[in-house]
Each structure stands twice: as C-alpha cells, then as structure tokens.
Amino acid sequence: MFHYWLSLVIWLPILSGILVLFCSKYENLVKNIALVSSALSLLISIIIFKAFDPNSSALQFEELTSWIPAFNINYHLGIDGISLPLILLNNLITFLVLIASIKTIDKKVALYNSMFLIMTGFISGSFCALDSILFYVFFEAMLIPMYLIIGVWGSTNRIYAAIKFFLYTLLGSLLMLVALIYLYYVSGRSFEIMSYYHVPLTLSVQILLFIAFFFGFAVKVPMWPVHTWLPDAHPEAPTGGSMVLAAVTLKIGGYGFLRFILPIVPDAARYLAPFMITLSLIAIVYIGLVAVVQKDMKKLVAYSSISHMGFVTLGAFLFVGNQLNIWGLEGLIIQMISHGFISAAMFMCIGIMYDRIHSRNIQDYGGVAVKMPVFAAFFMLFAMANSGLPGTSGFVGEFMVIMGALQTKFIYGFFAALTLILGASYTLWMYKKVVFGEPKRLSIQNLQDINKYELSVLLILAIAVIASGIYPNLFLAKMHASTQNLIDLVSHSKLI
Amino acid sequence: MMTLSSMIIALPEIFVTLMIIVMLLVDAFIRHSTKCLVNQSLAFATLGIAFILEHYVYQYAILNHLSLITFNGMFILDNMARFMKTAIFVLSAFILAYSNRYIINRKIPFGEFSSIFMFAILGMMVMISAYNLLILYIGLELLSLALYGMVAINREHSYSSEAAIKFFILGSLASGLLLYGISFIYGITQSLQLDIISHTISLSSSYSRDILIFGLVFIVSGLAFKLGLAPFHMWLPDTYEGSALPTTIIIATITKLAALIFTLRFLVFAFQNLSIDWSFMLIILGVISIVLGNIIAIAQTNLKRMLGYSTIANMGFVAFGLMTINLQGVQSVIFFMFSYVLSLLAAFGILTLFSNADEDLALISDLKGFSRQHPFAAILLSITMLSMAGLPPTIGFYGKFYVIEAMINAGYIKLAVLAVIMSLIGAFYYLRIIKVMYFETSDSTFKFGAPGVFRYSLLSINSLAVIVLGVVPQYLLSYSALLLS
C-alpha cells in the first residue's frame, strides 16, 4: 500500500520546479517537464479524490514523521472532505496555466514554469498540513513565487502591485504566527492543529486569537476592508498569475477560516458572527456595486472575485442557535470550488484578448464576437456562470449560502441575494461592451480566433463548470462527513 | 599552578600566536610573486590545525581529568568556547576563500592583511575562552585593534581611513566605558573571575547592588557598542560602508559571534543575579534597535549600509531573546545568531565575489539586471535576502521563530507583536533587492566580476546551506544546543 500520496502531490511539483531551473537553456525541455509534472500531480490528485472514503470524517492519507523534535514540530499531512476538492482544484488550475503559457510566455520561460510548479507544491502543502508550523511554512513560502510572478511578467505597475501583495499578506500571516505560538504554550507544547480544537480558552483570549487569525486569513480571502491589494495585483499580474491567484490562493483564506478559526475559537466566532456577516455582506453588495463602474476588465473581475468570496466568509458564520448552518457551510466550499473554475476561466478569457490587443480597457474593445466566435461562445458561458446562472457551478454555491443566510435571518439572505442582480449586471454589461456590437477598431478587425492550447484550457474549464453545475454531488458527496464533523466541533463551547 | 598540563588547554591559542609570528617573518622574507600563495596557505593551515587542536585538546583534557579552567581561573574551555571557536574557524576559512582575489585586486598587502586577520581571530579566541574580566577585556582589545587595522588597511581610498578613524575613536570610547564599569564591579566583588563575581553578587547588600547596577550600565553600554545595538550603533553603517568588503564580512559575521559569547559570559553568567536589571536595559536597547534599524534601512541606497542597518535590527532581536532571562532565550539567541551570520556571510560573499577589480558592488542599483547576467547567483542572493527577512523555508525563519517563541514563553507578547511588525517593515528592503535584480528592465552599468569555480561553489554551499538548513533545521538546532551543554 503506497502511503505517501500527499507527499508526492506536494514534492513532485516542487522538485520538478527546481529541476526546471537547471535546464533554463532548453526551452522546449522546460515546457515538457513542466507539463508532464503538472499532469502527473493532477493525476495523483484525481486518484486521491477517487480513493477518498466519503463515509469517514477522520483524516485520510495521513503521514506523520518527526521533523523538528526540539519544538515538537512534526511533518504531519492529512486531508479531510474540506481540503480534498481544494487540492484537486489547485493541481488542475496549475496544469491549465502551464498549457496556456506555452505560446504566450517567451522571456525567462524556465523561471516562469518553475515558479508555478513550486507554488503549486507549496499550496498543496498548506492544504494538506496538519501541523500548524508546517502549514505556516507552506503558507508563507507560497508568497515568494507569487511575488516573482507578478513582478517579472506583469504589466506596467507591477512592482508596486507585487510589493503591496507581499507585504499585506505577510503582515497578516506574521500576526497569525504569534497566535500559533501562544496556542503552542497554552496547549501544552503541541503544534498539532487538531490538538488546538480541544484547548479551553476564555472568551477574551479567544477574541484576541480570532483577531490574529482574522488578519492572517481575511487578507487572503480577501475581505473588505483589507481587500485593497487584490484590485492592484490582478490587473498587473500576468494571465497565469491572475488565474492561480484568483482560483487557488484566495481559497487558502477560506480554508483557513474552516480549519483554524471556527474550530479553535468557536465562542469568539459566535460572538463576532454578526460583525463578520456584516463585513461579508458589505463585500458582496458594495464591492459588487464598485465592480459595475470599472473600466479595466481585470479590475472588474478582481472586484467580482472579492464579491464572490464574500459568500465564502458569509457561509462560515451563519450560526442558527449554537450550530453552524449546514447549507452555509457546504455552500461555501462549493462556492470556493466553483469560483475557482469560473474566475480562472474569466481571467483566461481576458488574457486571451490581452495577448492580442494588449489592452485591458473595455473601451478598446467591442465586437469581438464577429472575429472570434468560438471564443465568444466560451466567454458567454463563463460570464453566465459568473452571474450565477442555474446549470453552471456559479449558481450552486450562491444558492446554498443564500439558503443558509435566509435560515439564519431573513435580512442576511435578502442582501446576499442582491448578488444575483449585481453579478449579472457587471458581468453581462462588460461582456456586452466587449464582445457584442460592431468591430469598429482596426485592432479588433484583425483578430484571430483561439488556438488549440487556449481552446483546450477553456474546454476543460467549461466542462468543469457545467459538470459541477449540473451534478454538484460530485463534490458534495465527499464532504458531508467532514462538514458534519466540523459543525459538531463548532457547536460545543470551549469556554473555561 | 601553571604546569604544562594546564597550558595544554590553551594550546590552540598558543599555536595561533606562533603561527602569526611565523607568518609575519615569512612574509618579510619571501619573494613578492609568491607572497599571496604562501600567506594564503599559511592562513588556511593555521585555521585547519587550530580546528583540529581544539577538539584534540578537549578530548585530551577529558581523558586525563584535567581541569577545564586553567591559568589561575583566567581561561576556560567549556563547550560554549569550544564549539564557537570551531564555528569561527570554519567561517574564517570561508571569508579567506571569498576575499583573496578581492584583496589582490585592491592591492591590499596580503601578508599584513592575513596576519592582522589572524590577530583578530586570536583576540576572538581569547575573548571566548576568558573566565576573567581582565582577560575578556584583553581579548576584546586585541580583536578591536586588529579590526581597526583591517579597516584602515585599504589606504588607497579615503573613505576607509574615515571609517577607520570613526571606528577607532568610538571603539576606544566604548572600551573605556566597559573598563570603567568593570572597575566598579571589581570594587564591590573584589574579584575579576566570573564565577566568584556571580557568587559575590548573590550575597551582596542592596547598597552594593546600586553600585553594581551603576557599573552594569557602563558594561551594557560597552557590550551594546560591540554588538551594534542602537543607540550605540553609529559606527556600524559607516564602518561597513567604508571598509573593504573582506573587513566588512569579518566585522559583520565572526566578530558578532564573539561579541555574543562575550555578552553571554558577562550578562547570563557573571551577572545572573542582576538579571532583572540588565533585562530591562536590553528591552530598551532591543526596541530602539529593531525600530531604528528597520526604518532607516529603508532609506539606504548603498547595499553595505543597508546590510549594516539590517544587522542593527537583527541585533535588536538578539537583545529581545536575551531579555527573557531563561535558558530557552539564550538557546534561541545562539541559534538566531548562527542563522543570521550564515545568511549574512553568503550575502557579503556574493558582493565580494561579484565586485570587479576597481569598484565594489556597493549600490543597490548596481544589481539591476543581475538575474539576467548571473541567474544562479541572483537566486543565491535572493535566498540569503529571504533568510535575513525571516521567511520560510529558509533558516532565518526558524531563527526569528525561536526568538519569538522564547519571548512569548516568557510572557512578552506585546513585544513579540512589535518584533513581528518590525520584521514586516524590514521585509520591504530585502524584497527591494529581489525586485532590483529581477523586475527592472534595464541593466546597470556595473561590470560584474567573475568568480572562479572553486569560490563559486563555496558560495553556493554557503547559500544553499541557508535553504537546506531551512528544510531540516534540526542540525543547526542541535549544534546550538551543544554550546550550552
């Protein structure tokens, strides 16, 4: 019985990323190694997904070795129903990004491929890690490749965006480190995340820990008001960078809420739930309104991402009595997965257009459908999915979270449901201005339709979006046991 | 009782002294063309044999049940001394390897430089093994005078002379303060031996205690100068900038290690009963250093000065680790110092190896386009910068982590948050180096030097150790724990 699936899915990309750095002179070899390696890790994550036992809420594929005995830090990996789909999402997106970059990246190809591979490994690591310092190491280490990706291959204002991204996220995670070390002492010198679930804490201490963890993860999600790095980072990042940033990196924030905040400080979560729900609703509604007036396509999709991730944080704090609402919880996980697919697809589409016209401004477009009909069809699908059309995955997550919100308090559900209007308005408005109409500009008239690499990426994402939209049980079935376990865990009070 | 067996313990020091004399004489009589090779070989041989002697002497002493404290209680060879000296020998070998081409290019007299370097190492060895305040001071003075000489030896350039004068004046002032403080301690405890002092302080009355604290303030000021803690830091950026790069490396890396042992012997051992007092002083020094160092470093355009201010900030971390007064704090500080010195050595090593024959790789803007011309070296420099910023998966992260952990354990949570926020501010100037190397589109006009294969591989070992130890920090942790066993 091969036990080390998780280590394989983490270290295979990292090691091939390092290998690729040594072959920097042979561009074709680099691209081949990168594609093979990411395809392999995708395959492994599919195997893990299939082999996962949905009836057990216990940790599966566990690996435990002592790593730094002096601090009782262990190399402890394991997944449950919450982290399982996220690992699959991560590997899929990286694979697609590497395919998309075959034709589009021509400078420093080896570094580009290696950075994405290493970043994938680190992100998988943070999803699998069960030791808090191991998680922290992966969580912070992942910032370095992202910083390089934005800074080297981004557009004009990339340096500002890269540094802002790095320092903002670093501040949050440094505060989280202090919280983790405090928990280490309070829990009797253990860094195991699971051991923190049973440590009794007073309410004031819980609230302080909540604030520390909140900074760490709210910046990543990103929640209003610590969201301002995202509308700067996304437009400046290259297409692949935006795809991974939106599809995967934001999900680590949501994952952190479920893995760290809710089980470790449940009383503080209940106490601060109205505050968090308010922040999430502001993100959904206000940021949705901000998205309507954007002129830059990538900035618009960035704000749309913040708005959709508002559902994720909303679903995490829908307490009915003492219990977390199951609709909200499962809805937020589905929302994370679906938003991963949709935002990756949206950024891919924008990237396809950017590669041809070199502008992200909506005004420079108009009538793309005339010259790129296949592309326009795919773009339509993803725009509809972004708006939450039933039948696409965008609907399922939003629907479930709104249901949970309505069960908690009617007014929460009402405001959350406004996204159905706002999401449609900004997405479809942008789509109309860009794709429909007459191609007046010369640059539009000379457009070529998508090539086979772009087609394959869009096709895979389209299949993913429609499949999860029509049959969300594909993901939901695997997570029932773990979400029920989390609800049970959170419903107990941990006050001393 | 000064018998032969008691002198065996000090054999490495005696050997190094003899080798210095040999080097000076040989240098005076050999032909100019072979000067460099001969001096280099002598220096490496000295370091190598001293390394072996250190362990042989210890085993011999243990086997024959000799006392580890000799020369009438003036010299000690405990684990802390032994392992720190070993570390210094290894690091010095790296420094020599990095700098010999640089020294030849700048026309610095090689024989004199290596002899003064050996003198500095001798001073460090005496300082580390000292068990008597006066011997500590003698070692310190030997080290300092050698360093003043090494700063000034680059006499073709006026900024070296300026740096040397500043360093000399301020250093002498600090040594004077130290001596003044020692005189008060001697006045109360009537002994210069560390364990007797510690014992006497524990018995002293409150009147004597006030005088002791008065002396302690001067001693801590002297220590703060040597470590580079603000507000006693003024010499540091100027000296780093003005000296030739090999000298800067020596002052930045191994001198700090010796200064740390010096600090530990004084504060943690001799003055352990006054710990509440010096702990409070260290908190103030730490806070000022970490804030000042990180903020001023942002404004720097010269790489050497920036690394100088970064040293000040990281010494603030050291002060924070020591102020916790417990064993864990001391362990964390030793580990942190090792991790920081390793990264700093690699960073300065890259600067030294890639300076060309006439100019130093000194300005941050000189690094523009470094990633295009020397991609592997750019990766190595990025790794060292990330380590000094304290980002995983490098060893620097574990250094900072250990110190913050010790602080939280001792209950200083607000200071831990301050340290962490200042680290964030500090991360900016390290990231700026990576930015300049990778993100800038135009190349700088600086012509990079080309290091040979041997030196390049040494540099790679040094930098990759930073990240390899970051993946398996247990090795460095156990080495640091050995020092305190």
Side-chain angles (χ1 to χ4, degrees):
Chain A
M1 235 325 285
F2 183 64
H3 297 289
Y4 304 110
W5 291 109
L6 290 181
S7 282
L8 196 58
V9 93
I10 295 173
W11 293 105
L12 176 64
I14 295 179
L15 291 173
S16 34
I18 298 175
L19 175 65
V20 156
L21 279 176
F22 286 110
C23 314
S24 43
K25 289 198 185 48
Y26 310 106
E27 279 191 15
N28 277 328
L29 179 64
V30 159
K31 290 180 191 175
N32 286 330
I33 295 178
L35 276 175
V36 166
S37 154
S38 60
L40 273 176
S41 22
L42 178 60
L43 191 62
I44 297 170
S45 50
I46 294 177
I47 294 175
I48 295 176
F49 191 83
K50 282 264 173 287
F52 185 82
D53 175 14
N55 298 318
S56 143
S57 67
L59 297 164
Q60 302 183 27
F61 298 99
E62 237 183 306
E63 293 175 39
L64 175 61
T65 38
S66 177
W67 178 30
I68 309 176
F71 293 115
N72 199 20
I73 299 178
N74 300 315
Y75 180 76
H76 193 185
L77 301 175
I79 48 173
D80 65 354
I82 299 175
S83 37
L84 177 73
L86 294 171
I87 297 177
L88 183 60
L89 177 69
N90 174 30
N91 286 298
L92 177 66
I93 299 294
T94 303
F95 178 60
L96 294 177
V97 162
L98 289 176
I99 295 181
S101 70
I102 293 178
K103 281 277 179 244
T104 52
I105 299 290
D106 49 2
K107 70 166 171 153
K108 291 195 166 136
V109 175
L111 192 64
Y112 187 84
N113 282 303
S114 110
M115 285 296 113
F116 273 102
L117 285 170
I118 294 178
M119 190 161 59
T120 293
F122 286 149
I123 295 176
S124 299
S126 44
F127 283 133
C128 301
L130 288 177
D131 180 288
S132 45
I133 296 299
L134 184 64
F135 170 82
Y136 186 80
V137 167
F138 282 127
F139 187 66
E140 280 219 334
M142 147 186 95
L143 297 180
I144 303 164
M146 200 56 178
Y147 174 67
L148 280 170
I149 289 170
I150 299 178
V152 177
W153 294 277
S155 48
T156 38
N157 213 14
R158 62 185 183 275
I159 298 179
Y160 169 77
I163 294 188
K164 188 171 185 178
F165 158 75
F166 197 102
L167 291 180
Y168 230 121
T169 352
L170 191 63
L171 172 65
S173 48
L174 283 173
L175 287 172
M176 189 173 76
L177 181 66
V178 177
L180 287 174
I181 299 178
Y182 176 82
L183 279 169
Y184 167 69
Y185 283 111
V186 165
S187 67
R189 294 189 165 260
S190 157
F191 272 117
E192 289 289 318
I193 302 178
M194 300 286 159
S195 72
Y196 294 161
Y197 292 176
H198 306 290
V199 173
L201 301 160
T202 64
L203 185 62
S204 45
V205 166
Q206 281 198 25
I207 292 183
L208 284 172
L209 287 173
F210 182 94
I211 293 175
F213 280 122
F214 172 80
F215 271 111
F217 295 117
V219 175
K220 269 244 165 312
V221 165
M223 289 185 77
W224 188 92
V226 287
H227 67 288
T228 55
W229 60 273
L230 195 67
D232 283 315
H234 263 143
E236 305 302 328
T239 307
S242 290
M243 285 170 75
V244 175
L245 188 58
V248 189
T249 318
L250 302 192
K251 312 305 177 274
I252 302 183
Y255 170 77
F257 273 98
L258 295 181
R259 182 68 83 213
F260 285 90
I261 297 186
L262 284 180
I264 299 181
V265 286
D267 302 291
R270 269 188 283 276
Y271 183 77
L272 291 171
F275 173 66
M276 296 295 290
I277 294 178
T278 313
L279 286 183
S280 311
L281 289 173
I282 293 178
I284 297 174
V285 179
Y286 168 66
I287 299 291
L289 287 170
V290 169
V292 175
V293 297
Q294 293 305 313
K295 298 191 182 53
D296 180 325
M297 281 193 288
K298 274 187 132 173
K299 230 175 191 166
L300 191 150
V301 181
Y303 281 114
S304 144
S305 283
I306 303 174
S307 184
H308 285 296
M309 290 303 283
F311 274 93
V312 170
T313 46
L314 179 64
F317 288 95
L318 293 172
F319 285 99
V320 179
N322 256 358
Q323 283 225 353
L324 200 55
N325 187 303
I326 185 137
W327 284 96
L329 187 57
E330 294 201 345
L332 85 87
I333 301 176
I334 287 286
Q335 173 75 339
M336 284 204 283
I337 303 167
S338 110
H339 179 256
F341 294 139
I342 297 173
S343 59
M346 292 289 281
F347 280 113
M348 184 71 205
C349 292
I350 298 177
I352 290 173
M353 290 193 287
Y354 184 82
D355 286 330
R356 289 154 172 72
I357 310 284
H358 296 292
S359 161
R360 296 187 304 263
N361 227 320
I362 296 181
Q363 287 173 334
D364 292 335
Y365 288 91
V368 167
V370 177
K371 288 290 168 183
M372 299 174 72
V374 179
F375 167 73
F378 276 111
F379 197 8
M380 170 108 262
L381 171 65
F382 297 126
M384 287 301 184
N386 201 23
S387 322
L389 185 75
T392 63
S393 61
F395 172 70
V396 183
E398 291 184 356
F399 169 70
M400 290 174 79
V401 174
I402 294 174
M403 276 292 289
L406 284 170
Q407 287 176 355
T408 311
K409 234 184 199 180
F410 177 76
I411 193 80
Y412 295 154
F414 177 77
F415 276 111
L418 284 180
T419 189
L420 300 169
I421 307 173
L422 291 169
S425 70
Y426 55 70
T427 318
L428 297 180
W429 221 336
M430 174 188 79
Y431 184 80
K432 170 212 176 249
K433 284 187 225 170
V434 168
V435 174
F436 291 149
E438 279 300 314
K440 293 195 187 60
R441 293 171 181 265
L442 193 63
S443 46
I444 306 285
Q445 288 167 3
N446 292 335
L447 274 179
Q448 303 238 313
D449 211 342
I450 49 179
N451 59 35
K452 58 183 176 197
Y453 301 110
E454 296 161 341
L455 176 64
S456 47
V457 171
L458 291 178
L459 190 60
I460 296 176
L461 283 171
I463 295 173
V465 164
I466 297 180
S468 355
I470 298 179
Y471 190 60
N473 212 26
L474 185 66
F475 292 109
L476 280 173
K478 300 270 181 184
M479 63 172 83
H480 284 312
S482 303
T483 50
Q484 194 56 49
N485 184 36
L486 183 61
I487 291 175
D488 291 333
L489 204 56
V490 173
S491 61
H492 294 123
S493 169
K494 278 174 68 183
L495 292 176
I496 295 181
Chain B
M1 254 292 269
M2 271 236 318
T3 63
L4 189 64
S5 55
S6 71
M7 290 220 282
I8 286 279
I9 306 281
L11 194 57
E13 280 78 6
I14 299 172
F15 172 72
V16 172
T17 316
L18 290 173
M19 283 305 291
I20 293 175
I21 299 173
V22 166
M23 279 171 73
L24 282 170
L25 287 173
V26 163
D27 185 59
F29 288 110
I30 55 175
R31 268 182 311 177
H32 189 84
S33 52
T34 54
K35 253 195 209 297
C36 180
L37 187 60
V38 172
N39 277 309
Q40 213 172 303
S41 340
L42 278 174
F44 276 116
T46 313
L47 288 172
I49 298 177
F51 179 93
I52 299 171
L53 271 178
E54 199 65 56
H55 287 281
Y56 173 73
V57 153
Y58 187 80
Q59 301 303 335
Y60 182 82
I62 295 288
L63 269 168
N64 293 1
H65 303 288
L66 295 174
S67 166
L68 289 175
I69 303 180
T70 62
F71 285 98
N72 273 332
M74 292 196 182
F75 188 93
I76 184 173
L77 187 64
D78 56 359
N79 276 320
M80 184 149 74
R82 184 160 76 105
F83 287 111
M84 193 53 97
K85 282 194 234 179
T86 314
I88 289 183
F89 292 144
V90 172
L91 294 174
S92 307
F94 270 90
I95 296 175
L96 267 176
Y98 288 159
S99 37
N100 61 16
R101 191 118 303 267
Y102 181 98
I103 294 172
I104 297 169
N105 285 334
R106 294 280 186 285
K107 309 221 181 0
I108 297 172
F110 201 96
E112 280 81 348
F113 185 85
S114 41
S115 327
I116 303 181
F117 189 15
M118 291 299 128
F119 268 121
I121 293 181
L122 179 63
M124 284 183 239
M125 290 166 76
V126 170
M127 212 162 94
I128 289 173
S129 277
Y131 208 51
N132 178 306
L133 288 182
L134 202 58
I135 303 297
L136 256 171
Y137 183 76
I138 290 176
L140 177 66
E141 278 303 288
L142 180 55
L143 168 63
S144 307
L145 287 170
L147 287 178
Y148 305 149
M150 275 198 280
V151 174
I153 207 168
N154 192 18
R155 55 194 178 156
E156 305 288 318
H157 301 269
S158 61
Y159 46 74
S160 291
S161 310
E162 177 193 343
I165 299 271
K166 275 186 194 164
F167 188 25
F168 175 60
I169 293 179
L170 290 173
S172 311
L173 184 63
S175 298
L177 287 177
L178 193 64
L179 210 48
Y180 188 56
I182 292 177
S183 67
F184 274 94
I185 306 295
Y186 179 65
I188 294 292
T189 59
Q190 289 159 34
S191 164
L192 288 171
Q193 201 171 314
L194 293 179
D195 51 359
I196 299 179
I197 292 176
S198 154
H199 179 70
T200 317
I201 292 178
S202 63
L203 301 171
S204 63
S205 65
S206 67
Y207 165 74
S208 328
R209 213 185 154 81
D210 288 338
I211 303 182
L212 282 170
I213 296 176
F214 187 75
L216 184 65
V217 170
F218 285 99
I219 291 181
V220 170
S221 314
L223 288 173
F225 177 89
K226 290 299 164 196
L227 274 177
L229 289 168
F232 300 97
H233 68 285
M234 298 292 192
W235 61 277
L236 224 154
D238 293 317
T239 311
Y240 277 36
E241 188 191 4
S243 331
L245 271 165
T247 312
T248 311
I249 307 182
I250 294 167
I251 299 177
T253 54
I254 44 188
T255 312
K256 293 286 180 296
L257 283 176
L260 177 68
I261 299 296
F262 182 53
T263 310
L264 290 178
R265 292 236 195 263
F266 258 107
L267 296 182
V268 176
F269 185 58
F271 298 127
Q272 56 194 15
N273 291 301
L274 293 174
S275 53
I276 304 173
D277 305 292
W278 54 251
S279 160
F280 182 63
M281 291 184 221
L282 281 177
I283 294 178
I284 299 177
L285 290 172
V287 170
I288 301 178
S289 304
I290 208 170
V291 172
L292 200 140
N294 276 315
I295 293 183
I296 299 188
I298 297 180
Q300 299 307 314
T301 50
N302 184 310
L303 261 168
K304 294 198 275 186
R305 282 186 88 88
M306 187 198 93
L307 287 171
Y309 280 107
S310 125
T311 306
I312 297 172
N314 282 295
M315 290 306 124
F317 253 95
V318 168
F320 277 160
L322 283 174
M323 76 170 177
T324 58
I325 312 177
N326 54 31
L327 179 66
Q328 196 184 14
V330 175
Q331 273 180 335
S332 70
V333 159
I334 295 177
F335 177 73
F336 176 79
M337 262 302 211
F338 274 131
S339 72
Y340 184 66
V341 159
L342 195 62
S343 328
L344 199 58
L345 178 64
F348 272 122
I350 295 177
L351 294 186
T352 314
L353 289 182
F354 287 95
S355 297
N356 63 34
D358 307 305
E359 276 178 84
D360 275 355
L361 178 55
L363 297 178
I364 295 182
S365 52
D366 284 341
L367 281 174
K368 276 203 263 194
F370 193 53
S371 64
R372 267 181 286 279
Q373 297 182 31
H374 296 277
F376 187 57
I379 292 178
L380 296 179
L381 190 57
S382 312
I383 292 176
T384 60
M385 287 296 143
L386 292 172
S387 173
M388 288 197 280
L391 287 164
T394 58
I395 191 75
F397 166 67
Y398 291 102
K400 294 219 156 95
F401 169 74
Y402 202 171
V403 172
I404 292 177
E405 202 227 346
M407 286 165 74
I408 294 181
N409 189 21
Y412 294 96
I413 301 193
K414 292 200 191 64
L415 281 176
V417 173
L418 172 72
V420 142
I421 292 179
M422 284 296 138
S423 298
L424 170 78
I425 294 179
F428 169 71
Y429 51 84
Y430 297 116
L431 287 181
R432 185 172 54 187
I433 305 287
I434 301 182
K435 169 199 104 162
V436 166
M437 285 198 293
Y438 282 97
F439 302 169
E440 305 277 339
T441 40
S442 60
D443 284 3
S444 74
T445 51
F446 190 84
K447 286 174 61 59
F448 296 110
V453 174
F454 174 63
R455 264 169 268 284
Y456 212 151
S457 26
L458 271 184
L459 180 67
S460 316
I461 294 175
N462 192 351
S463 314
L464 290 174
V466 166
I467 206 164
V468 166
L469 285 174
V471 177
V472 278
Q474 193 56 32
Y475 297 111
L476 193 57
L477 274 169
S478 17
Y479 189 80
S480 319
L482 276 174
L483 259 83
L484 288 172
S485 55

